[in-house]
Amino acid sequence: RSVPWTGEGMEVAAETQRRDLAVVLVNPQIPGNTGTIARTCAATRVPLHLVGPLGFTLEDSQLKRAGLDYWNSVCVKVHDDWDAFHAYWLEAQQQGGGGGRLVAYSARKGARPHAEEGAYRPGDWLLFGCESSGLPEAVQEACAASGGVRRIPVDQSHVRSLNLSVAVGIGVYEALRQLDGPPTMED
């Protein structure tokens, strides 16, 4: 679900939707992962951008099942490909309200730690690649020039990488911790 441009650089499903953070999935392939990520985005009020080509249709039953009945609580914007998303992001920057940087997540060595203090700023767009191959090189380069590349530590002697939905949850909640401060009993 998507609503018209708000003038603040972020499309929102409701007035309670966050405008200071967004999740971007580039070429996601597994509908269940994307549905689970949409549920996390609904729980955190963070908009979700899907960058094609997608490995499924938006009518996929696994996608809907994983997102349960939370789809009306998350803003989902679909972009045909990286070029379309990048143009959308650049327009948001020019409008003055989109503000944020592109922050990539990668399992590759050399990326900065995901939980490094000061890693996130209001307006950041958190980018995650497809389950099988991660982010394309052009996307990583755009992120490196903008907000950087982050790595969630994984003992790769036993596990090659984390499940995409787990990585997004870790990234989103760490960004929220840094933006909002530690959670309180009311949260």
Side-chain angles (χ1 to χ4, degrees):
R1 174 177 168 194
S2 184
V3 298
W5 181 261
T6 64
E8 297 185 41
M10 194 72 70
E11 294 184 10
V12 295
E15 287 304 311
T16 59
Q17 192 81 37
R18 294 185 74 105
R19 289 178 168 82
D20 60 351
L21 193 65
V23 169
V24 181
L25 303 182
V26 180
N27 311 127
Q29 300 299 302
I30 301 174
N33 284 342
T34 301
T36 301
I37 291 164
R39 187 173 179 177
T40 298
C41 288
T44 56
R45 301 177 292 116
V46 173
L48 174 62
H49 293 259
L50 302 177
V51 179
L54 308 178
F56 49 85
T57 68
L58 296 180
E59 290 77 36
D60 190 291
S61 62
Q62 290 178 316
L63 176 73
K64 291 179 179 181
R65 188 177 315 118
L68 295 174
D69 56 350
Y70 300 106
W71 284 105
N72 64 343
S73 299
V74 63
C75 177
V76 179
K77 174 81 174 155
V78 180
H79 307 271
D80 290 337
D81 54 28
W82 169 251
D83 290 337
F85 168 77
H86 197 247
Y88 177 89
W89 177 77
L90 288 171
E91 181 181 339
Q93 306 302 45
Q94 292 169 356
Q95 295 290 330
R101 308 168 307 154
L102 299 176
V103 178
Y105 285 80
S106 175
R108 297 179 188 157
K109 301 283 186 202
R112 305 285 306 168
H114 81 286
E116 183 176 45
E117 286 302 322
Y120 307 97
R121 298 181 191 159
D124 280 351
W125 302 64
L126 309 180
L127 281 78
F128 299 84
C130 87
E131 294 87 344
S132 60
S133 59
L135 287 169
E137 196 62 37
V139 176
Q140 289 212 31
E141 289 171 7
C143 293
S146 177
V149 180
R150 298 286 162 184
R151 184 171 191 274
I152 299 168
V154 173
D155 181 351
Q156 292 185 326
S157 64
H158 301 286
V159 176
R160 182 174 49 86
S161 63
L162 294 174
N163 176 279
L164 180 60
S165 60
V166 171
V168 170
I170 291 169
V172 166
Y173 277 98
E174 177 58 25
L176 292 176
R177 184 191 70 78
Q178 290 192 26
L179 295 176
D180 298 345
T184 64
M185 291 299 289
E186 290 79 40
D187 289 342

